[in-house]
Amino acid sequence: MRTVLLAGSSHPQLAQELSVALGVPLGPCRIERFPDGELDVSLEADVRGAEVFVVQSLHAPVGEHLLELALIADVCQRSGAASVTAVIPYLGYARQDRRVSGREPLGARVVAELITAGRVDRVVCLDLHSRAVEGCFPRPMEHADAVPLLVEHVRATLTLPAVVVSPDLGAVKRAEAFARPLGLPVAVVHKQRLSGEEVKAQAVVGDVAGRHVVVVDDMISTGGTLVAAVETVLAHGAKGPVTVVASHGLFVGPARERLARLPLARLVVTDSVPFHGDAGFPLERVHAAPALAAAIRRLRVE
Ligand code: R5P
């Protein structure tokens, strides 16, 4: 079946890399604004009878990127596409996958329902915050896995003896998946979140003393989790500087300033979210396109 690849405006560079990885040109799709600020989307590609993949990362402003995705999916369906798949390198609101106080919305579920509200047949997501988020989607999901790419990137520079550190309980499975191919043990930091920007950590479960540390998390947002984890493992005798690996680098609010003060050997993220300017810390970005392309290839109808 014919494949058409389209891109929203959230991450044109990654969409271009995905186009190269798949050998499928990006279809023309114009996204502008009406004078009142409303989105003005017009499809210039022929999608009739085609499998359409729409690339749109849902980082800030999430609502705008989400609406763009919905409008593109709608015009594709109305123009006769055989199917529409949303390819979402970073899924905003995925951390709102459960209610803590009971007086909050289930944000991940709301976003999943908005994405699939009628015009998206299935979804491809890269390294979800938790696998449970898949349960929020009423339509099928294909997972793109960046962990093998991140493992290979770090393997070359690993100094032994080393330990993989999960900065909180939620990231333990990811840390284990990272440590296994490297044959490394795992330690876990006990984290307590105080607010959106502040976390506290004191205890470590596992042996970090005298070892080089690789901290593994799904994302770095304000950097609070990372600062607490690095300070805690160093206080427990780990050797610095520290390597950090995360699938998604948002680097919002005080993140860059915080990370610039940390003893980091390298901080490795994928390019699921665009990055602008000088980092001020040793940032290395791994291309996510091969992982997304592999997931899309599994779905394509030959
Ligand atoms: C939390 O559950 C996540 O896995 C990350 O550890 C967290 O969201 C990172 O946020 P921040 O960088 O703001 O601490």
Side-chain angles (χ1 to χ4, degrees):
M1 191 182 286
R2 194 163 62 89
T3 300
V4 173
L5 186 65
L6 301 173
S9 69
S10 72
H11 201 341
Q13 194 182 337
L14 178 53
Q16 190 54 50
E17 286 172 15
L18 192 50
S19 155
V20 172
L22 289 168
V24 176
L26 270 177
C29 179
R30 191 180 50 76
I31 302 167
E32 289 171 3
R33 294 219 174 240
F34 288 111
D36 61 2
E38 289 181 1
L39 284 163
D40 173 11
V41 172
S42 89
L43 181 65
E44 289 161 4
D46 171 17
V47 299
R48 188 160 298 281
E51 280 188 291
V52 180
F53 293 86
V54 185
V55 188
Q56 182 79 320
S57 213
L58 296 183
H59 52 269
V62 183
E64 289 293 309
H65 291 149
L66 181 59
L67 185 56
E68 254 186 38
L69 174 62
L71 294 175
I72 297 170
D74 183 78
V75 67
C76 288
Q77 295 283 11
R78 290 176 195 283
S79 306
S83 68
V84 177
T85 301
V87 180
I88 305 176
Y90 171 70
L91 178 68
Y93 284 83
R95 285 180 290 179
Q96 295 187 28
D97 57 353
R98 65 198 141 81
R99 300 198 305 151
V100 180
S101 72
R103 293 201 169 206
E104 308 133 322
L106 200 49
R109 169 90 191 203
V110 173
V111 167
E113 284 184 345
L114 289 172
I115 291 169
T116 50
R119 304 294 164 188
V120 168
D121 298 297
R122 58 191 178 183
V123 180
V124 173
C125 284
L126 180 86
D127 288 10
L128 279 173
H129 171 63
S130 84
R131 281 286 177 138
V133 174
E134 179 176 359
C136 295
F137 281 84
R139 305 273 166 85
M141 171 180 288
E142 186 74 15
H143 297 274
D145 186 4
V147 170
L149 300 174
L150 294 167
V151 167
E152 289 317 309
H153 185 90
V154 167
R155 190 192 291 277
T157 51
L158 204 58
T159 313
L160 299 174
V163 58
V164 172
V165 170
S166 171
D168 55 30
L169 283 175
V172 172
K173 288 252 175 292
R174 185 178 308 268
E176 285 172 352
F178 195 89
R180 208 171 300 120
L182 296 171
L184 296 179
V186 172
V188 184
V189 172
H190 181 73
K191 165 179 120 179
Q192 192 190 346
R193 184 165 285 285
L194 306 175
S195 71
E197 283 190 13
E198 300 297 329
V199 303
K200 191 172 91 178
Q202 281 161 343
V204 181
V205 179
D207 193 8
V208 297
R211 290 176 180 268
H212 296 274
V213 165
V214 183
V215 180
V216 174
D217 205 351
D218 63 317
M219 70 168 76
I220 299 166
S221 182
T222 67
T225 300
L226 189 54
V227 170
V230 170
E231 287 176 351
T232 305
V233 293
L234 291 177
H236 283 74
K239 282 189 178 170
V242 168
T243 295
V244 174
V245 183
S247 298
H248 310 287
L250 302 182
F251 305 121
V252 299
R256 293 190 193 202
E257 202 186 307
R258 284 174 166 174
L259 300 178
R261 289 199 300 261
L262 279 188
L264 297 178
R266 62 189 55 78
L267 191 157
V268 186
V269 293
T270 75
D271 58 359
S272 63
V273 174
F275 186 87
H276 304 289
D278 288 331
F281 53 90
L283 177 66
E284 297 172 18
R285 294 173 85 226
V286 171
H287 294 293
L292 292 165
I296 291 174
R297 279 193 207 99
R298 290 195 292 274
L299 296 175
R300 275 168 82 177
V301 178
E302 294 303 329

